[in-house]
Amino acid sequence: MWNYEKRLQFPINIKEPNAKLAQVIISQYGGPDGEMGASMRYLSQRYSMPYKEVAGLLTDIGTEELGHLEMVATIVHQLTRNLSMEEIEKSGFANYYVDHTIGVWPQAAGGVPFNACEFQVKGDIITDLHEDMAAEQKARSTYDNILRLIKDPDICEPIKFLRAREVVHYQRFGEALRITQDHLNSKNFYAFNPGFDRCESCDN
Amino acid sequence: MNSEEKKLHDIGIADFVLTDLMLYLDTHPSDQKAMEYFNHYARIKTQMEREFARDHYPLRKDLAESNRDWRWGSAPLPWEGGCN
Amino acid sequence: MKDYSFEEPFEKYPLAMAYVPWQHFTQMYENLEKGYRAGTIFPELDKPFTGRRCIK
């Protein structure tokens, strides 16, 4: 289960509204490499993890990603909460506004709704950890792309923080993969699926 | 930053240290030095949270005990900023 | 073309697998505020983005 802490993981205080940036940053809320997908990916993959330490890591990173989801939503909210009708019309925000007013809804920058097809639960620890490492890199690239578009330090600082977490998570998933390798036979890491096969071969 | 903001910011730092150490310890469960740091900052964070609940508002439901009104519901919303 | 033939200690690892080097705890940022802003307390994991496209 989960407990809520009534504070953000990193402070966000944006003074200037900016509907254009909000439409880009919302991709890290509900887009293909966003925090919602990250959290759901790791939390869903836990159940088929054969090793306790790896399942524990997925729980803790999946939980941190929920905090990141809240941070991204906060950025979008603070960038849009004080928009005038004129700014909404001029900035291209009217398409979003007509369906959601200034509520925060999980979609990609291009308007595509959040889709669980953006992540996988393969039920194979090697496959799933490779996906997780790739996911951290994809999110890192997205934050790089966002950083090139931002000048306001109020937005830059939390985005830089979120980007740095992707690098740390990548390292931890890499270590989880090393732990996995240690459990398996290095002559053939792919001989069986430790989360599914009860015997290593039919001879046993 | 006023004193409430400063205290919340310090809780944020202590908790962040715990988060980064937790993920490290998840893959390095026998690292005694990291464990000592974790224990140290866990004690500091608990202390700071209790003081914050007493002087301002509770950050978690188990700090929301009160003999007057229900303070958990009236605490500031994190996404409105100002007090982080 | 450059001949990419690596003979590192790393080459003893079994093929067709990915390996991230193991982190060994040495130090945390002494200034924790700095670590918080950087997004990690581990100086060796602090790898900020500095890219600029520089096309006018």
Side-chain angles (χ1 to χ4, degrees):
Chain A
M1 64 92 71
W2 272 266
N3 271 303
Y4 186 61
E5 253 183 75
K6 215 167 241 188
R7 55 177 191 85
L8 298 178
Q9 194 189 15
F10 189 87
I12 301 173
N13 288 296
I14 298 169
K15 294 170 244 6
E16 288 297 312
N18 188 329
K20 282 192 176 154
L21 279 179
Q23 291 170 92
V24 168
I25 292 171
I26 203 166
S27 228
Q28 281 304 86
Y29 192 70
D33 306 311
E35 303 290 354
M36 185 171 287
S39 188
M40 295 305 107
R41 171 189 296 111
Y42 307 143
L43 295 178
S44 300
Q45 285 178 358
R46 299 180 297 162
Y47 306 98
S48 48
M49 282 293 157
Y51 312 126
K52 209 192 229 173
E53 53 269 60
V54 180
L57 182 71
L58 283 163
T59 305
D60 291 338
I61 296 183
T63 300
E64 190 184 343
E65 306 289 15
L66 285 176
H68 296 174
L69 186 67
E70 185 182 41
M71 280 180 64
V72 175
T74 297
I75 294 172
V76 172
H77 169 64
Q78 294 187 7
L79 284 171
T80 54
R81 63 182 164 184
N82 293 322
L83 286 173
S84 66
M85 270 326 286
E86 194 190 349
E87 285 167 321
I88 288 172
E89 286 171 45
K90 274 190 182 162
S91 60
F93 196 66
N95 291 353
Y96 181 93
Y97 151 86
V98 76
D99 287 329
H100 312 291
T101 324
I102 51 167
V104 179
W105 186 70
Q107 67 165 46
V112 180
F114 173 73
N115 188 340
C117 296
E118 306 295 359
F119 64 84
Q120 250 301 357
V121 178
K122 203 70 193 174
D124 178 310
I125 188 167
I126 294 177
T127 312
D128 282 343
L129 285 173
H130 274 79
E131 150 132 348
D132 301 343
M133 292 166 74
E136 295 294 333
Q137 294 294 0
K138 288 188 279 182
R140 195 262 310 152
S141 301
T142 308
Y143 284 123
D144 290 353
N145 291 346
I146 290 171
L147 281 170
R148 286 193 204 88
L149 297 166
I150 303 175
K151 286 173 192 72
D152 182 353
D154 289 347
I155 319 170
C156 234
E157 289 304 309
I159 294 288
K160 275 166 31 187
F161 173 89
L162 290 167
R163 177 193 175 276
R165 298 310 293 155
E166 311 296 344
V167 177
V168 173
H169 294 168
Y170 180 84
Q171 173 67 26
R172 299 294 164 244
F173 283 130
E175 288 164 348
L177 185 57
R178 295 286 300 274
I179 290 169
T180 301
Q181 291 153 8
D182 192 61
H183 282 281
L184 298 171
N185 183 348
S186 63
K187 293 249 186 303
N188 180 3
F189 290 127
Y190 306 114
F192 65 101
N193 176 350
F196 186 75
D197 297 305
R198 299 293 159 88
C199 325
E200 293 188 24
S201 79
C202 291
D203 306 333
N204 295 341
Chain B
M1 263 193 265
N2 62 33
S3 98
E4 182 180 329
E5 287 168 345
K6 173 83 177 75
K7 281 188 253 176
L8 194 56
H9 189 73
D10 289 345
I11 289 170
I13 293 177
D15 183 65
F16 177 67
V17 172
L18 289 177
T19 298
D20 222 7
L21 283 170
M22 168 183 71
L23 298 186
Y24 177 87
L25 284 160
D26 280 346
T27 53
H28 305 67
S30 315
D31 191 317
Q32 290 308 310
K33 192 173 155 197
M35 195 69 242
E36 279 167 30
Y37 276 111
F38 184 91
N39 294 343
H40 176 71
Y41 287 101
R43 277 192 294 270
I44 289 179
K45 194 207 164 192
T46 309
Q47 180 67 27
M48 288 196 298
E49 277 177 329
R50 282 209 193 102
E51 287 174 16
F52 194 84
R54 185 195 63 204
D55 299 340
H56 306 288
Y57 56 88
L59 293 166
R60 291 186 280 111
K61 73 171 184 300
D62 40 324
L63 294 164
E65 256 182 80
S66 169
N67 42 26
R68 292 171 45 214
D69 292 344
W70 178 233
R71 297 194 305 153
W72 173 248
S74 57
L77 300 171
W79 47 90
E80 294 302 345
C83 218
N84 283 293
Chain C
M1 287 260 274
K2 189 173 167 189
D3 174 23
Y4 288 106
S5 177
F6 298 97
E7 293 289 341
E8 313 276 342
F10 193 65
E11 263 52 65
K12 72 179 192 308
Y13 286 72
L15 299 178
M17 180 45 76
Y19 307 93
V20 165
W22 196 253
Q23 184 187 359
H24 296 275
F25 186 91
T26 50
Q27 53 168 342
M28 281 166 38
Y29 273 123
E30 266 179 40
N31 180 347
L32 293 177
E33 171 87 33
K34 185 183 175 186
Y36 190 37
R37 296 201 177 283
T40 180
I41 57 165
F42 302 109
E44 64 270 38
L45 291 179
D46 184 4
K47 297 170 187 300
F49 176 71
T50 59
R52 285 294 171 266
R53 187 142 155 89
C54 299
I55 293 180
K56 289 276 170 199

